[in-house]
Amino acid sequence: MIEKEKIITDVYNALQKKVAYEDIIIEQPKERSMGDLAIPCFGFAKILKKAPQQIASEIKENLKGDYHSVVIAGGYLNFFLKRAGITEKVLAEAHHDGYGQLSFGGGKTIVIDYSAPNIAKPFSVGHLRSTVIGNALRNICQKCGYQVVGINHLGDWGTQFGKLIAAYKKWGDEEKIRKNPIDELTALYVRFHQEEQNDEKLSDEGRYYFRQLELGNEECVNLWRWFREESLKEFMKTYQLLGIDNFDTYDGEAFYNDKMQKVIEELDDKNILTNSEGAKVVTFDQLPPALIEKQDGATLYITRDLATAFYRKKTYDFAEALYVVGNEQQLHFQQLKAIIKKMGYNFADDIFHVNFGMILQDGKKMSTRHGKTVKLHDVLEEAIEKVSSYTNDYELKRKVGIGAVIFNDLKHYRTNDVEFNLDDILRFEGETGPYVQYTYARIQSLLKNKKEMSITMENIVINDLIWYLVFKVYNFSNIIEKAKNDYDPSQVAKYVLTLTQDFNKWYAEERIMEGDENYIQFKLLVCEAVGSVIKESLSLLGVEAPKKM
Ligand code: ARG
């Protein structure tokens, strides 16, 4: 926002540059009635050896610049901006596509690893969070001028595939798997796991087949490939429902099978590996040890992630690499970064674990009545179904149902747990997706009254409610920038919620279609600006905005 920079420069000059430019902070006052922007003077007290209030009044005396008014409030200097100029600018710009676009990313690359469900297991609600947070971050980073590579790092490798192959060879039924891949494969895996408890030979067999898979045994590889294809086909149905299927690659853990040896050798050469009863381990001062290679030569999740990180650095030369993965993998990513650091690579500092909390139902981890994992696809279909009392148009139902689920997830700060209650999520009132979507549709219907005429701002009084809306629209790109820097889509969700609430307050208090034609058309321009920013915000979150509801 240029106003912010102007104010900082004016304050800097008024203080005769006695404090550093970077030390002048600008905020929004807690109460809107107290001013549009505020400069806290507390931080200057030490340097200038004066009380904050005194400093505020001195700044005010020496201040040059064109403000509506400047008010001292405690140790703050509060600025009221001239409304007309900013309003005119906002109304001229906000309805253009791409409003709020930033360029500070400078075309640098950010790699985002998100979603990443596990083959032969259900795509669960647990993976919903990674999918929607990652997708939103992708949009937000692009909006900031970054090049984004979106990677679906499928969980398609590991000892469990050895077990699955062993189980299939014992009890598998090809036909059944084709019909219902995930359920059948899960059942095979569960049965194997149960019988394994009483039969050690089975565990050996599982390990044997995973080793065979790692060595490229043709039969094993073919089975594995088939399980993967069938699973992915089923996952795609969920992605299509969500409207999130624009990954740049689905290369998951298996892709790194032939890229791990090199990393292990480098670790060895750099004397980072310790031998522990035949297994290879990295130890740390501050963290528990990380197992890199088992006695039988089998690799682990972290081994694959090491190879992945190097591959990504080499392939994409990323400025930042984000991993959108749950809180429970905190240690894994700490170890991953620490190992890369130990190897002497500074890009370890550009790796960020974008962690998140769980989805809970009545305070507990979500599961079916039989204690099984809840499939995301079922939940999404239920959400769509529940919208049905209100319309029969399937696409509309999908947009509202899915939008509600996504919005509910993203409005919470990611590291917190999210309570999931479909009835609450789908309400048209309160802090929900449908509430925001509905407001957008209401605005679109109002805009039918818009005429192609130029308006004059001369006699228009910009009242508080209108000004708050305009100023919020003006602030849009600042919100995006902060959301990027904190990897926090909830800032965009909260922003669009308050914008929507402010709009509805105005709509309840002032009749849009009353007054002289110039004023009506002016108000419709305000509606249009608010509407486009609602739509743009929703689209950053991955939520669609139907024109009619
Ligand atoms: N498939 C893993 C899981 O479900 C998440 C993978 C995240 N990405 C990564 N590079 N480790 O827990």
Side-chain angles (χ1 to χ4, degrees):
M1 194 192 295
I2 5 167
E3 262 54 39
K4 289 193 176 176
E5 272 142 51
K6 266 199 233 150
I7 292 178
I8 292 176
T9 308
D10 287 344
V11 168
Y12 181 59
N13 290 330
L15 286 167
Q16 288 147 350
K17 310 186 180 175
K18 283 184 199 141
V19 303
Y21 185 89
E22 299 76 42
D23 289 341
I24 305 175
I25 351 179
I26 193 150
E27 296 174 351
Q28 248 161 306
K30 303 264 170 310
E31 296 281 327
R32 283 193 282 211
S33 58
M34 294 178 69
D36 300 315
L37 292 166
I39 299 274
C41 300
F42 308 96
F44 312 146
K46 240 199 183 138
I47 310 165
L48 303 177
K49 303 199 173 57
K50 284 179 197 161
Q53 184 142 5
Q54 164 94 37
I55 300 170
S57 92
E58 283 181 24
I59 296 174
K60 187 180 168 180
E61 249 160 62
N62 296 320
L63 195 71
K64 299 207 172 63
D66 197 11
Y67 301 104
H68 175 73
S69 63
V70 181
V71 177
I72 300 160
Y76 289 94
L77 198 59
N78 291 351
F79 291 77
F80 289 86
L81 304 176
K82 286 195 159 167
R83 294 180 174 182
I86 293 175
T87 303
E88 205 161 3
K89 190 173 144 58
V90 167
L91 296 187
E93 288 172 6
H95 64 274
H96 290 301
D97 276 349
Y99 179 69
Q101 178 68 38
L102 291 156
S103 57
F104 70 90
K108 282 180 292 207
T109 299
I110 297 187
V111 174
I112 310 185
D113 177 321
Y114 63 110
S115 196
N118 299 316
I119 296 300
K121 286 195 192 158
F123 190 159
S124 71
V125 287
H127 286 97
L128 171 69
R129 301 215 65 194
S130 174
T131 308
V132 303
I133 295 169
N135 183 57
L137 286 177
R138 175 190 189 122
N139 297 332
I140 290 168
C141 291
Q142 274 167 347
K143 189 90 181 167
C144 294
Y146 289 91
Q147 192 91 24
V148 177
V149 183
I151 301 183
N152 196 335
H153 188 78
L154 293 175
D156 57 2
W157 206 248
T159 39
Q160 70 272 28
F161 289 94
K163 296 184 186 187
L164 200 56
I165 290 168
Y168 178 77
K169 285 172 73 88
K170 282 185 191 310
W171 315 302
D173 178 337
E174 182 174 341
E175 208 36 49
K176 273 190 178 168
I177 294 182
R178 283 202 194 287
K179 273 203 201 107
N180 200 0
I182 307 276
D183 288 341
E184 284 303 321
L185 291 172
T186 314
L188 276 178
Y189 184 75
V190 169
R191 177 168 173 195
F192 189 89
H193 197 68
Q194 275 161 359
E195 301 206 5
E196 190 184 18
Q197 309 298 321
N198 310 314
D199 184 354
E200 255 181 48
K201 265 198 295 190
L202 276 184
S203 308
D204 290 342
E205 250 175 76
R207 266 194 293 277
Y208 169 78
Y209 281 117
F210 180 53
R211 197 63 202 130
Q212 288 303 306
L213 186 61
E214 290 208 302
L215 293 171
N217 171 309
E218 206 182 308
E219 188 195 9
C220 292
V221 171
N222 284 340
L223 278 176
W224 165 82
R225 186 172 296 135
W226 178 51
F227 298 156
R228 188 183 190 277
E229 267 166 26
E230 294 295 335
S231 298
L232 196 52
K233 256 193 254 163
E234 201 160 312
F235 292 168
M236 288 319 286
K237 294 181 199 155
T238 307
Y239 286 125
Q240 266 142 26
L241 270 189
L242 280 171
I244 299 176
D245 53 6
N246 55 347
F247 295 95
D248 294 293
T249 161
Y250 291 85
D251 284 339
E253 294 182 44
F255 181 73
Y256 299 94
N257 186 32
D258 61 357
K259 299 173 182 62
M260 286 180 280
Q261 211 42 49
K262 204 171 145 260
V263 186
I264 297 179
E265 274 161 28
E266 186 174 339
L267 284 167
D268 238 339
D269 290 345
K270 293 186 170 164
N271 283 325
I272 297 170
L273 288 178
T274 331
N275 193 311
S276 164
E277 295 167 32
K280 293 178 180 164
V281 174
V282 180
T283 55
F284 311 92
D285 294 336
Q286 309 283 346
L287 301 168
L291 180 57
I292 301 295
E293 195 184 280
K294 293 187 186 170
Q295 284 95 333
D296 65 359
T299 59
L300 293 102
Y301 181 52
I302 195 161
T303 327
R304 293 186 279 285
D305 255 334
L306 272 170
T308 305
F310 285 106
Y311 178 84
R312 288 181 187 165
K313 184 63 193 169
K314 193 173 122 226
T315 311
Y316 306 112
D317 191 26
F318 56 75
E320 290 160 53
L322 315 187
Y323 293 79
V324 188
V325 186
N327 288 335
E328 63 283 355
Q329 290 190 30
Q330 209 130 26
L331 175 61
H332 169 79
F333 286 103
Q334 282 169 346
Q335 290 173 325
L336 181 68
K337 289 178 66 158
I339 296 173
I340 297 173
K341 204 80 200 236
K342 263 182 189 265
M343 293 169 81
Y345 297 103
N346 282 333
F347 79 83
D349 297 333
D350 307 325
I351 290 178
F352 299 93
H353 176 205
V354 179
N355 58 327
F356 55 80
M358 283 196 293
I359 294 192
L360 302 176
Q361 203 157 36
D362 303 322
K364 289 192 299 254
K365 201 172 165 186
M366 234 171 141
S367 64
T368 65
R369 247 174 295 151
H370 312 290
K372 289 211 188 119
T373 317
V374 178
K375 281 193 204 162
L376 179 55
H377 200 270
D378 294 346
V379 173
L380 297 179
E381 280 191 330
E382 196 186 338
I384 295 171
E385 199 40 51
K386 281 207 163 174
V387 187
S388 65
S389 53
Y390 143 83
T391 168
N392 280 321
D393 172 351
Y394 179 80
E395 252 317 285
L396 183 55
K397 281 199 289 190
R398 192 189 62 79
K399 287 177 187 168
V400 176
I402 299 294
V405 171
I406 297 180
F407 194 85
N408 173 65
D409 197 299
L410 294 179
K411 76 174 185 183
H412 295 95
Y413 180 60
R414 60 182 161 76
T415 62
N416 298 337
D417 292 340
V418 174
E419 182 61 36
F420 191 90
N421 176 319
L422 265 185
D423 291 323
D424 287 347
I425 289 171
L426 288 167
R427 273 186 230 292
F428 278 64
E429 291 295 330
E431 302 185 337
T432 66
Y435 169 68
V436 179
Q437 285 173 322
Y438 186 71
T439 304
Y440 175 76
R442 168 184 279 170
I443 291 174
Q444 297 320 297
S445 111
L446 273 170
L447 289 180
K448 293 195 188 111
N449 300 302
K450 210 181 138 229
K451 294 187 181 140
E452 284 309 320
M453 66 176 257
S454 51
I455 55 159
T456 78
M457 293 287 291
E458 244 166 274
N459 300 318
I460 289 177
V461 181
I462 301 164
N463 64 39
D464 285 350
L465 290 179
I466 293 179
W467 171 243
Y468 296 156
L469 285 170
V470 167
F471 195 57
K472 206 159 238 149
V473 168
Y474 188 45
N475 206 22
F476 183 43
S477 60
N478 287 293
I479 302 293
I480 301 170
E481 181 169 353
K482 266 207 96 236
K484 149 69 186 59
N485 290 335
D486 300 338
Y487 305 132
D488 176 17
S490 77
Q491 294 183 28
V492 176
K494 286 177 186 135
Y495 166 84
V496 73
L497 264 177
T498 54
L499 180 64
T500 302
Q501 286 158 348
D502 282 356
F503 177 82
N504 285 320
K505 197 181 287 165
W506 176 49
Y507 185 79
E509 281 191 21
E510 185 166 350
R511 296 204 180 277
I512 310 287
M513 296 310 295
E514 266 173 27
D516 62 56
E517 193 60 31
N518 189 60
Y519 188 49
I520 291 175
Q521 290 302 319
F522 164 76
K523 286 186 283 186
L524 287 171
L525 284 176
V526 174
C527 292
E528 188 180 37
V530 171
S532 9
V533 171
I534 290 180
K535 181 169 183 222
E536 192 63 31
S537 303
L538 288 178
S539 129
L540 289 175
L541 299 175
V543 174
E544 290 174 79
K547 278 206 155 77
K548 260 200 242 160
M549 264 176 83

